[in-house]
Each structure stands twice: as C-alpha cells, then as structure tokens.
Amino acid sequence: MCVVSDRHESILKATSVVYPGMAHYSCMWHIWTNIRSKFKKGHLQLHELYFATARSYTLDEFNERMLKIEEVDLRVKSYLYDIGYHRWSRVHATVNRTFTMTSNIAESLNAVTKDARELPIFDIFEYMRTLLERWTKEKLSKAKGTFTYLGHKYNKELEDNSTLSQKLRVRASTDHIHTVLDGVKRYIVCLENKKCSCGQFQLDELPCAHALAALRHRNETYENYCSPYYTRKSLLLTYEMPVNPLPDEGKWDVPQHILDEVVKPPAGDKRQPGRPHKERYKTFDEIKSKKYKVSCGNCEGEGHNKRTCKNAPKKK
C-alpha cells in the first residue's frame, strides 16, 4: 500500500498521521510539469527521456537514461536526485507500484466534481455519495461480466506478453531456472522466486513474455504467478461493499447534542481586491447574436473583413 500525490507539504503531513510509516510517492506527471517550468532547455528530448527513466524496470536501464538526461541538462538530474529517486522511479520504489505510475484517479475526481464544489456542504456530500454509488454499481456489473481468471486490463496485458513469447527460445537449467533467448539477448527467469532479469515479472507481479515462455516450456499455466489483486475474485470483493442509499431527511435520527450545536462560518483569509475570476460559458444564443460578431463596415455581413468583402470599394 502506498500514497501517490503531488509534492504538497500538507499531503505529506496528513498521510503520515493517518497512515504512519506508509510509503509516499510523487506523481511523475506533476514532477514533469515542474521540470518544464523550471528548466527552459531541451523539453522535447527531456520529455521522452524522463518518462522512460521513471518507468525503467532495471537499474541498468535507469542509469543509462539518467546519463542521457545529464547530457541534455545537468540541472534536471540534480533536481530529480534532490526529490529522491525512490519517490518517482519504478525500480527504486520500496513498494511495488505495479501499473500505477501517475495520480490520474485524483485528476479525474477533480474534473468530475468541479461544478459540485460550488454547492452547499450537504449537497456536495450527497453529490459525492451518489457518484460513488453509481460508480460502484457500474464496476461491480463489469466485474460480474468478466469470465477470465484475471480482470480485463491485466488479461489484456497477459495476452500481449503471450504473443511476444511465441518467438522466444527456452533452455532449462533447473526445474525453476530457465534461460530465455530473444534474438541475441539473454534473460534469466526464476519461476520459484517469480523473477526475471528484465525486471517486469517481479515489479508488475504479472508474468512477462520471458516468464510465459518458460511456463510454456514446463507445460504449466500462469495462474499461480499473478498477483491475487489482479484476479476476477478480487475485483468482486473490491466492489461488494455497497454505498448505502440515504433516507429522506424527515426520517433522520439526529442526536439532540448535534441539533443544539451552533456551527459558525470559518474565519477565512482577507479577500483580495478585485472581482474574483470565474469562467462563464456563452450560451448558444449569445454566440449567434451580433454581440459576438464583427462587421466589416461595408455591408451588413459578418464574419469577414474589409479586404474579403465583395461590397468593399475598389481601388482606382
């Protein structure tokens, strides 16, 4: 278990209180946006290099890509080192982050609750409750409609690895240790420890193409070599707890000491001068109205300029 977020100090403090001792990692996308704003050099080269470095499965791959980052901009390497490699690099992480390498779920929640934040406190809680109620039901229905041993996402990854494994050659050293040949490259697979020298088997907790080739050589199936969290059974357990409906407000049994409590508004910071900025979307009628159209001045037509207008006076 781990927490992935941006590098805000309040998040670090709060998670250390609620989940003491739990690993905390930084979203690699937030780090990239910081790099892009701080260092105005080689963005096109650094973009691909940085994300490839973050997703590296072996230390050799990581070190090789860090050297390339250093060649583009030495300051970026120092910046990433100061953050701590274990916070954003897959291979240095103390807990297997498996397929989770960004904080996309948090960004999705931010987007879907954007308008709801303007509601009163009770209404926003009810909005969140109904949202989770609907999502849980949809996910549970999808899990029940899954008839493979693994969930859809992980089963697709396994099928891709299985296709890649067809062209590999296997040479067994012991019952569990195999040498897998991929052209001129050589990989060592240990089925007993669920490890491969490519790094994917142990970090993704899913058989890589080399491991699948070794399993096929042994006439053994993959079920015992996948993380139990990827299975259909775990998906059903994840969404089996319902988000209970809320009864009508007239049916609530509220304790008297709660009813007697007076909640005062928070003492917020001093309001900044000027009108608060809030984007307002134009209606269809406003867009179509002349208020948002520009006339050329030579006719009643709109949406063109003087040079393209047919009624513009001709030069002598």
Side-chain angles (χ1 to χ4, degrees), residues 4-201:
V4 182
S5 71
D6 63 19
R7 299 175 61 213
H8 199 287
E9 290 296 326
S10 297
I11 299 176
L12 294 171
K13 292 176 182 177
T15 53
S16 65
V17 173
V18 180
Y19 298 106
M22 188 176 66
H24 187 278
Y25 301 119
S26 301
C27 168
M28 64 178 184
W29 177 255
H30 283 96
I31 293 176
W32 166 247
T33 56
N34 291 341
I35 292 173
R36 191 170 54 186
S37 61
K38 286 177 180 288
F39 310 107
K40 310 292 184 181
K41 180 181 176 181
H43 285 167
L44 293 176
Q45 293 172 278
L46 285 174
H47 181 270
E48 293 185 7
L49 266 177
Y50 164 71
F51 283 102
T53 306
R55 294 190 174 101
S56 297
Y57 282 101
T58 64
L59 284 173
D60 290 339
E61 286 180 353
F62 179 87
N63 293 331
E64 182 182 345
R65 288 162 179 166
M66 283 300 295
L67 286 174
K68 293 181 180 178
I69 290 177
E70 183 180 4
E71 292 174 1
V72 177
D73 195 332
L74 180 61
R75 298 172 301 166
V76 175
K77 181 182 179 181
S78 301
Y79 177 74
L80 293 173
Y81 177 82
D82 292 338
I83 294 173
Y85 290 161
H86 67 285
R87 292 197 179 277
W88 56 272
S89 165
R90 190 197 323 249
V91 71
H92 288 91
T94 54
V95 174
N96 278 5
R97 290 173 60 180
T98 59
F99 291 90
T100 305
M101 291 298 291
T102 68
S103 58
N104 285 342
I105 182 62
E107 301 300 340
S108 299
L109 283 170
N110 284 340
V112 79
T113 59
K114 181 179 179 181
D115 295 331
R117 293 175 209 168
E118 304 294 331
L119 299 172
I121 187 67
F122 168 75
D123 294 318
I124 189 174
F125 276 133
E126 177 61 9
Y127 177 87
M128 294 295 295
R129 190 199 63 77
T130 54
L131 180 68
L132 293 174
E133 182 181 53
R134 176 167 56 85
W135 280 2
T136 302
K137 180 62 175 66
E138 290 174 357
K139 295 291 185 180
L140 181 62
S141 299
K142 190 172 182 179
K144 287 182 177 179
T146 301
F147 300 103
T148 52
Y149 177 73
L150 301 178
H152 173 75
K153 174 182 177 180
Y154 307 105
N155 193 69
K156 176 66 169 61
E157 185 74 17
L158 196 72
E159 288 178 349
D160 293 342
N161 290 344
S162 180
T163 302
L164 294 174
S165 71
Q166 301 297 325
K167 63 177 183 179
L168 305 180
R169 292 178 294 139
V170 180
R171 188 171 64 236
S173 299
T174 67
D175 288 342
H176 299 288
I177 299 176
H178 297 73
T179 302
V180 180
L181 304 174
D182 183 5
V184 296
K185 294 184 178 180
R186 180 182 302 173
Y187 299 90
I188 310 300
V189 177
C190 180
L191 296 175
E192 185 177 20
N193 297 328
K194 300 178 183 179
K195 289 185 177 182
C196 177
S197 57
C198 74
Q200 294 186 32
F201 194 6

Side-chain angles (χ1 to χ4, degrees), residues 232-251:
R232 176 182 181 271
K233 181 180 178 181
S234 290
L235 284 174
L236 292 172
L237 290 173
T238 301
Y239 300 106
E240 72 171 358
M241 184 180 294
V243 178
N244 293 317
L246 190 66
D248 184 75
E249 189 173 353
K251 303 291 185 181

Side-chain angles (χ1 to χ4, degrees), residues 265-278:
D269 298 332
K270 184 178 179 181
R271 181 178 173 183
Q272 297 296 321
R275 183 177 179 180
H277 174 74
K278 183 177 180 182

Side-chain angles (χ1 to χ4, degrees), residues 200-240:
Q200 294 186 32
F201 194 6
Q202 56 267 35
L203 294 185
D204 286 348
E205 299 183 28
L206 191 76
C208 60
H210 316 112
L212 288 173
L215 288 171
R216 187 173 63 249
H217 185 78
R218 283 171 52 91
N219 292 322
E220 190 174 352
T221 57
Y222 62 84
E223 282 84 353
N224 294 328
Y225 299 91
C226 303
S227 170
Y229 296 111
Y230 300 162
T231 61
R232 176 182 181 271
K233 181 180 178 181
S234 290
L235 284 174
L236 292 172
L237 290 173
T238 301
Y239 300 106
E240 72 171 358

